[in-house]
Amino acid sequence: MNLGRILDAATDLVVHGGFDALSMGRLAKELDYTPGALYRYYASKDALIAAMTAQVIRDFTTVLLQATSLVPADATLERVLVPLLTYRELARTAPHRFGLLSMLLATPHVLVADDAEAAPAMLAITAALTPLARALDTARQTGALRFPGEAAGPAVVAFSAVHGLLQLRKQEHRVPSLFDLDGLVRLSLRSLLVGWGADPAQVDAALINVSALGDLVARAGGMP
């Protein structure tokens, strides 16, 4: 049985019908499997949701790391900006997977109650944010940024700022003068970096350098 096919089919069900549309029985029907066959791989719906979450995050992380590798190690502000701006591009180039992640993060319900079953998703989230935290810490060590405490906090703040703005993507074509997401994401990141002590001119130069790379997702080799 192809685990990737199972996760892709489950993702399609959730994206098009929400989490209530996902059941082991319906998924088995979509795949032309028996429910018992699915339960051999995922012990519960919770375990399946955690696996879906982890897979989407791992796929995104692969692209973010590849994109970051396009920037020299001494380009400290660019290495902070690239993964965040690449995430913005992933919302455009992988809308189904981004939509799934958005629903997972936005729903007020606890989708995976068991900590052990949720562990793969939590590990994937930590792995995704760790490179950004390292880039922020490197920028602090070189004097390009100044912020108190561990870099993990600013990493979460920066990611949350971008992700939050991307929830407006459905309104972008309706009121483009107000919901220019590319411009808003850059404005948000510029404001954060300047607030963390970066020189505004250096941030502007870094944004220009990143823009010159073109399509970050394509340059990174596309989605896995």
Side-chain angles (χ1 to χ4, degrees):
M1 184 178 291
N2 187 321
L3 294 183
R5 184 171 173 238
I6 294 173
L7 295 179
D8 286 345
T11 298
D12 285 342
L13 285 176
V14 172
V15 167
H16 291 106
F19 287 104
D20 289 340
L22 178 63
S23 70
M24 300 299 270
R26 183 171 179 183
L27 180 59
K29 185 177 180 180
E30 290 287 328
L31 294 165
D32 197 24
Y33 294 153
T34 65
L38 289 180
Y39 279 113
R40 286 200 295 270
Y41 293 91
Y42 299 105
S44 66
K45 178 178 172 179
D46 282 5
L48 176 61
I49 290 173
M52 292 162 57
T53 307
Q55 186 60 59
V56 170
I57 295 171
R58 284 195 297 265
D59 288 346
F60 279 13
T61 301
T62 297
V63 178
L64 301 182
L65 291 173
Q66 285 294 108
T68 303
S69 71
L70 300 170
V71 183
D74 60 353
T76 54
L77 292 180
E78 286 86 344
R79 287 180 76 87
V80 171
L81 290 167
V82 163
L84 294 163
L85 293 173
T86 302
Y87 185 66
R88 187 275 174 269
E89 290 300 316
L90 285 168
R92 184 159 37 208
T93 59
H96 281 194
R97 280 182 271 192
F98 180 82
L100 171 65
L101 190 57
S102 291
M103 282 190 281
L104 287 162
L105 294 175
T107 180
H109 307 296
V110 177
L111 293 172
V112 182
D114 185 88
D115 288 345
E117 289 185 329
M122 297 301 98
L123 289 172
I125 291 172
T126 301
L129 289 173
T130 296
L132 176 58
R134 288 174 180 163
L136 284 161
D137 194 49
T138 297
R140 176 170 59 179
Q141 291 175 19
T142 62
L145 294 177
R146 296 187 301 276
F147 52 82
E150 299 293 327
V156 173
V157 168
F159 165 78
S160 299
V162 174
H163 184 81
L165 285 169
L166 294 178
Q167 302 314 298
L168 301 172
R169 66 194 186 282
K170 291 183 179 179
Q171 311 306 323
E172 187 173 19
H173 73 283
R174 293 177 178 170
V175 193
S177 61
L178 181 61
F179 298 112
D180 170 16
L181 291 191
D182 288 335
L184 290 172
V185 167
R186 283 170 170 74
L187 174 61
S188 176
L189 293 178
R190 184 184 189 278
S191 299
L192 284 174
L193 295 184
V194 171
W196 290 331
D199 178 84
Q202 291 183 358
V203 177
D204 291 338
L207 285 166
I208 291 171
N209 292 339
V210 174
S211 295
L213 293 173
D215 186 333
L216 292 166
V217 175
R219 289 288 305 277
M223 286 292 294

